[in-house]
Amino acid sequence: MSDLKAQDSALILIDHQVISMGFIKTQSPDVAKLNSITLVKAAKVLDIPNVWTSSTEDDNQDWWMPGLEEINPEAYANRIKRTGIIDSWDDPNFVRAVEATGRQTLIMAGTTNDGCLIYTALSAKRAGYEVYAVLDAGGSVFQASEEAARLRMMQAGVILTTTAAVLGELAKDWATPHGQQIRQILADNFKTVLGGFGLAK
């Protein structure tokens, strides 16, 4: 395992959709949403390409989560709309989008860690990518399924991490211009969570 570097990484968001976020019960869906927004903001600062994908978005009217399009309208416009494929890696359009980034390290977050994230993370790892699973930008319906998903990913060599941990690892040095911006993004995140209010619905 090599050091995590922004220039080697792509950010992958899987199924961050309004209805799907309601399946998160192992933590507050608002916290998962906030962490997802934090990841996208930091990726913009660090010039990390994004690949986003949604599941049955049009058929189920499960629209992409508000708050992300405004930060990266290009990723939103180019998101891969899967029509029922569960493992994103089984969708050739998604794989092509990931390959087009030219990056070999994938920082992944999915609405459900025991569903959309685990399948894609395992498949990407088998395909030869270094995969970081950002657990607090999603969640699971049940604690048992969350723990089982974490164990299975870890056994397969997927690196389990959190929003703050992965961004600190990417920033490297808080004194650099990029580091200062990432630190401010994280500080805003912490203030919102610890304050217990102001979380966007």
Side-chain angles (χ1 to χ4, degrees), residues 63-175:
W63 311 125
W64 193 254
M65 188 184 82
L68 292 172
E69 177 186 357
E70 298 84 346
I71 305 166
N72 193 330
E74 182 180 358
Y76 174 79
N78 293 330
R79 70 194 182 285
I80 309 302
K81 291 185 175 184
R82 304 186 329 278
T83 57
I85 296 171
I86 297 171
D87 179 350
S88 302
W89 210 261
D90 288 337
D91 188 325
N93 294 319
F94 176 79
V95 174
R96 279 194 290 269
V98 172
E99 291 173 345
T101 68
R103 308 296 176 92
Q104 286 300 306
T105 300
L106 305 181
I107 300 168
M108 283 190 187
T111 294
T112 54
N113 295 332
D114 62 344
C116 48
L117 174 62
I118 184 174
Y119 303 127
T120 310
L122 293 175
S123 293
K125 183 66 180 172
R126 284 193 293 268
Y129 288 85
E130 192 82 81
V131 180
Y132 286 73
V134 187
L135 299 174
D136 62 353
S140 299
V141 179
F142 303 109
Q143 190 61 43
S145 59
E146 173 77 15
E147 291 169 3
R150 292 182 183 194
L151 180 60
R152 188 175 173 195
M153 286 190 284
M154 188 168 60
Q155 289 173 333
V158 174
I159 300 162
L160 308 186
T161 190
T162 64
T163 300
V166 78
L167 295 188
E169 198 170 352
L170 286 166
K172 307 292 185 193
D173 184 348
W174 298 130

Side-chain angles (χ1 to χ4, degrees), residues 3 6 17 44-46 49 62 93 96 112 134 164 169 183 200:
D3 288 343
Q17 297 162 252
K44 185 175 182 179
V45 169
L46 296 169
D62 189 3
N93 294 319
R96 279 194 290 269
T112 54
V134 187
E169 198 170 352
R183 189 161 118 180

Side-chain angles (χ1 to χ4, degrees), residues 177-196:
H178 282 166
Q180 290 174 5
Q181 291 180 72
I182 299 300
R183 189 161 118 180
Q184 186 58 56
I185 290 169
L186 282 172
D188 292 342
N189 176 313
F190 294 155
K191 273 191 238 178
T192 304
V193 173
L194 295 175

